[in-house]
Amino acid sequence: MDTIIKKTTDDDAISLACGILQSGGLVAFPTETVYGLGGDGLNSDSSMKIYSAKGRPSDNPLIIHIAEMTDVEKLASEISPKARTLMEAFWPGPLTVILKKRPEVPDTTTGGLDTVAIRMPSHPDAARLIKESGVLIAAPSANTSGRPSPTTAAHVIEDMNGRIDMILDGGPVGIGIESTIVDMTGDKPVILRPGFITKKDLEAVLGKVEIDKAIIEPDPNLRPKAPGMKYTHYAPSGKLTIIEDPSTDSLISDAVTERINAEVSRCINSGIKVAVLTTEDRRSLYKCENIITLGASGAGATVAARLYGALRECDDIGAEEIFSESFDRDELGFSIMNRLLKAAGHRVINI
Ligand code: TXA
Ligand code: MG
């Protein structure tokens, strides 16, 4: 398949994309979190095409993207007052809400669940695409299953060129990690996937919020409530190890730097291609040819925005071993570490 690639600012780009979505085709598009791989969420065939383009197991449900508050009624059968409060507080924005689904939402879109994931993105191109097409767009992140989510159109082209009808290039995304998913179907709100909106942000609006236990520590006996959280994700091809010093608040110390430099020397001496993940201000501390930086220390949002691009760079240079500093697990740091720990297969060396 030839994939049409256009900038969202090209004259005919959005209208072309709308036509493709309306006729059941697939269009990748920018959102404020990561790029999405969109199809008609109410069309079972489109959802099947999404699973196949991503190489994704079809029991891993899709998020449906909407542009108006009234669209929720078309998808959800029960909307509690608390759920409404939540949506009004954070939409449009990087929040996905799980609600009981209406029968019109195909089982293929929800991976056979009786609930549906709904999100109203704030990215102007995404909002325009939903409004102008009139399609409620089912969209997972636009990466091949298992790879880091795409934060630039170039990442999407790497994974999806030739597999989908169109890629809309709206430049690099702002946030860089996926939306926070909150299950509103039970008595208490539960975070199923941490994201840019933190537990503290949610609690300011909802009162007590829980976190799905299965996503805090890996435990083979616990099954995450968001099916996608059970898969190995975001992983570079090389072996990633996180090195941290639990005796300091920042988790970073001279001992961490020394240990990473020692691991780098070991790799170089054995002819292993090695890379280091650190922050911009600490780059000069490492003796390694391949230093990949993630924003600035202490500035979580800049780290989030760079994380997936950095993991992809590890693949681009063919790194076989990668050593990363750690980040504190507060607030946005909790979401960043959720992704980084998964990418590392939870391989952590405590100094
Ligand atoms: O920021 C985002 O959420 C991005 C952009 C494109 O909007 N989308 C995204 O989609 O990250 P995806 O498919 O990569 O991740 C969706 C997650 C998966 O872990 C999936 O299992 C979970 O949401 N999910 C979807 N529907 C669900 C449901 N009904 N109940 C529980 N989890 C659900
Ligand atoms: Mg994804």
Side-chain angles (χ1 to χ4, degrees):
M1 172 189 296
D2 278 337
T3 302
I4 304 165
I5 302 173
K6 279 190 184 281
K7 292 215 182 330
T8 49
T9 47
D10 291 351
D11 279 346
D12 54 345
I14 300 284
S15 63
L16 203 58
C18 289
I20 291 171
L21 289 170
Q22 286 157 350
S23 55
L26 303 188
V27 177
F29 63 99
T31 82
E32 70 277 25
T33 56
V34 299
Y35 271 76
L37 169 54
D40 182 348
L42 298 180
N43 175 339
S44 190
D45 292 340
S46 296
S47 294
M48 293 304 292
K49 283 189 202 166
I50 293 176
Y51 292 114
S52 131
K54 268 184 77 87
R56 174 175 185 150
S58 56
D59 68 343
N60 187 1
L62 310 174
I63 297 172
I64 304 188
H65 296 65
I66 62 171
E68 333 256 358
M69 216 34 114
T70 48
D71 291 336
V72 179
E73 257 87 8
K74 299 177 191 157
L75 302 171
S77 60
E78 278 174 43
I79 310 159
S80 67
K82 246 189 174 174
R84 248 180 231 290
T85 306
L86 179 65
M87 298 183 290
E88 273 158 15
F90 295 104
W91 279 357
L95 170 80
T96 296
V97 176
I98 308 290
L99 297 170
K100 284 259 178 284
K101 85 172 187 77
R102 287 178 69 96
E104 292 85 338
V105 182
D107 286 336
T108 39
T109 304
T110 64
L113 298 177
D114 62 354
T115 54
V116 58
I118 310 174
R119 158 160 136 77
M120 189 193 291
S122 63
H123 195 293
D125 294 332
R128 221 184 124 196
L129 195 61
I130 303 163
K131 276 192 195 137
E132 289 185 23
S133 65
V135 171
L136 303 181
I137 304 180
S141 48
N143 51 288
T144 306
S145 197
R147 288 209 79 197
S149 297
T151 53
T152 66
H155 297 160
V156 181
I157 293 168
E158 244 170 62
D159 286 13
M160 291 297 152
N161 200 10
R163 305 181 66 85
I164 61 176
D165 300 288
M166 184 172 187
I167 297 171
L168 279 172
D169 178 354
V173 302
I175 292 177
I177 58 172
E178 303 84 349
S179 61
T180 305
I181 303 180
V182 184
D183 183 354
M184 293 303 288
T185 61
D187 295 338
K188 286 218 185 80
V190 185
I191 298 173
L192 306 190
R193 179 176 71 184
F196 189 73
I197 295 174
T198 65
K199 181 167 184 274
K200 196 171 161 196
D201 296 332
L202 295 167
E203 289 189 331
V205 172
L206 292 176
K208 184 88 189 107
V209 172
E210 292 179 353
I211 302 181
D212 183 6
K213 283 195 188 64
I215 66 173
I216 299 177
E217 287 296 330
D219 178 344
N221 300 315
L222 292 178
R223 194 188 152 93
K225 293 204 184 68
M229 297 297 279
K230 71 176 180 253
Y231 297 106
T232 328
H233 254 80
Y234 323 116
S237 315
K239 178 179 164 199
L240 169 63
T241 305
I242 300 168
I243 304 201
E244 66 183 26
D245 182 347
S247 73
T248 63
D249 280 347
S250 69
L251 302 169
I252 296 173
S253 64
D254 291 347
V256 168
T257 315
E258 278 161 29
R259 176 63 183 263
I260 292 181
N261 275 326
E263 296 286 352
V264 168
S265 306
R266 173 186 58 77
C267 288
I268 293 172
N269 293 336
S270 333
I272 296 168
K273 184 122 190 175
V274 60
V276 172
L277 288 180
T278 178
T279 47
E280 203 49 60
D281 42 305
R282 295 178 45 80
R283 163 191 277 277
S284 62
L285 300 173
Y286 292 104
K287 297 183 196 68
C288 182
E289 208 178 306
N290 306 302
I291 300 177
I292 298 170
T293 57
L294 299 164
S297 346
T302 67
V303 175
R306 271 283 300 144
L307 182 62
Y308 290 144
L311 294 174
R312 279 181 182 255
E313 273 176 48
C314 293
D315 284 350
D316 295 344
I317 61 173
E320 296 160 273
E321 285 214 47
I322 305 142
F323 295 92
S324 178
E325 292 174 352
S326 194
F327 298 90
D328 78 53
R329 288 156 174 75
D330 277 352
E331 310 259 334
L332 182 55
F334 180 72
S335 309
I336 292 169
M337 285 308 291
N338 169 265
R339 308 308 196 267
L340 191 61
L341 283 162
K342 279 190 140 200
H346 288 267
R347 216 173 357 258
V348 181
I349 297 176
N350 279 310
I351 305 235

